[in-house]
Amino acid sequence: MINNNESLLLELESFFSALSDRTRLEIVFYLLEKGKATVQDMSRDLKKSQSLISHHLSCLRNCGVVIVEKNGKYSEYSINGEDVKEIIFIATRHAKNYGKSILSCDIIKEEKENR
């Protein structure tokens, strides 16, 4: 039973927290569209600093959302496998179906205000 597995709950909490940041979501959707990209590409196209992109990529990499491969002197990032892609696609479909109720959740609004 998942409720009795503290370690798994902590891991899932961290995984979903990695996906709860807008910039990290922008990076994820960018990589879904492009396939692979460097920090420089993402910085230019997302109009954010390279240090900010690198900071968020580090989180996404640590949480297993993205992987990095060396390609010459550059590092290219991509989504880490079909499972992660499927989670994103399912979450996107869910958000499209329940967008109004998700956005009207008072608990989520309160948590955002307290950040």
Side-chain angles (χ1 to χ4, degrees):
M1 184 130 191
I2 289 179
N3 286 337
N4 295 329
N5 190 336
E6 183 65 23
S7 176
L8 179 58
L9 290 173
L10 288 171
E11 291 161 358
L12 286 169
E13 180 181 30
S14 292
F15 177 79
F16 285 111
S17 291
L19 296 173
S20 71
D21 178 87
R22 184 182 192 103
T23 298
R24 290 193 289 267
L25 283 173
E26 288 175 3
I27 291 169
V28 166
F29 282 104
Y30 180 87
L31 291 173
L32 284 170
E33 181 182 322
K34 300 290 185 182
K36 291 183 178 183
T38 65
V39 171
Q40 295 80 4
D41 294 333
M42 288 181 262
S43 175
R44 179 192 64 238
D45 294 343
L46 296 174
K47 297 177 177 43
K48 298 186 186 297
S49 72
Q50 287 186 20
S51 62
L52 180 68
I53 296 293
S54 292
H55 171 76
H56 286 293
L57 282 168
S58 177
C59 173
L60 292 169
R61 191 176 63 248
N62 289 339
C63 291
V65 177
V66 302
I67 56 173
V68 61
E69 294 178 36
K70 275 295 218 189
N71 187 2
K73 71 177 197 172
Y74 294 101
S75 295
E76 291 184 320
Y77 291 83
S78 60
I79 299 298
N80 185 14
E82 293 304 313
D83 287 347
V84 173
K85 290 177 184 177
E86 187 175 351
I87 290 166
I88 302 301
F89 291 137
I90 291 169
T92 300
R93 187 172 60 238
H94 181 78
K96 288 178 180 178
N97 290 334
Y98 294 95
K100 288 182 182 177
S101 60
I102 292 169
L103 292 174
S104 67
C105 178
D106 291 334
I107 295 167
I108 299 292
K109 287 179 189 175
E110 183 179 314
E111 289 174 353
K112 279 186 173 184
E113 290 172 3
N114 291 330
R115 286 186 191 164

